[in-house]
Amino acid sequence: MTTLPLAPANICMDPPVADAGDVLRMLAGILAGSTGLSAETIAEALQNREAQGSTGIGHGVALPHARLEGVQQTAIAALRTAQGIPFSAPDGVIVHLFIAVVVPKAAATAHLETLSALAARLAVDDVREGLLKARDSAEFFRLLTHPA
């Protein structure tokens, strides 16, 4: 599996979020600390990508992502929400697990490889169920980044 540039500090567990905009802004705030870009710039890029089509992939999972000028390396942030958020996923299921990815503008291959690795990992029922039950960000991190 592709090594994921994710740290437990970039995982937010069950914050009070009301809608998709809240989720994207919170993820952008986390990613701002990893990229040096402003949260506003990242949030706008994630929202622009969503306007092209939902990044909900089904089974309660979404992978918001963007390629951005000024990003030096791939950065990932995760957010789990207890109540679930409507996110126009293809299966119509509300989303509880959001994994956001930002990559350098020129890194098209790395972008696709990271999204593919995340999608493959999140396609496993036991992984998704474990992430929903994780007690803290350290457990969430371990489940997402270390194959069983």
Side-chain angles (χ1 to χ4, degrees):
M1 178 174 169
T2 300
T3 301
L4 298 174
L6 175 67
N10 280 16
I11 299 169
C12 188
M13 306 289 284
D14 305 323
V17 290
D19 58 28
D22 282 353
V23 169
L24 294 176
R25 285 186 293 277
M26 186 160 287
L27 288 165
I30 296 167
L31 290 165
S34 299
T35 63
L37 295 180
S38 73
E40 294 78 18
T41 296
I42 297 169
E44 181 179 345
L46 293 174
Q47 290 166 344
N48 287 343
R49 172 56 189 85
E50 288 305 317
Q52 296 174 14
S54 176
T55 58
I57 62 171
H59 301 285
V61 177
L63 297 175
H65 57 275
R67 292 177 21 210
L68 287 164
E69 293 290 343
V71 172
Q72 301 303 310
Q73 59 189 19
T74 300
I76 298 175
L79 184 146
R80 180 186 74 190
T81 178
Q83 76 273 18
I85 301 291
F87 212 74
S88 300
D91 61 2
V93 174
I94 61 172
V95 175
H96 290 271
L97 301 171
F98 295 86
I99 315 294
V101 179
V102 294
V103 300
K105 185 76 169 176
T109 301
H111 187 196
L112 294 175
E113 288 173 352
T114 301
L115 291 175
S116 176
L118 284 166
R121 187 80 180 121
L122 293 162
V124 179
D125 291 341
D126 289 345
V127 171
R128 288 191 316 276
E129 291 168 16
L131 294 172
L132 291 171
K133 295 175 184 174
R135 294 179 307 270
D136 55 32
S137 60
E139 183 178 359
F140 189 103
F141 172 80
R142 182 186 57 74
L143 289 165
L144 186 60
T145 61
H146 296 89

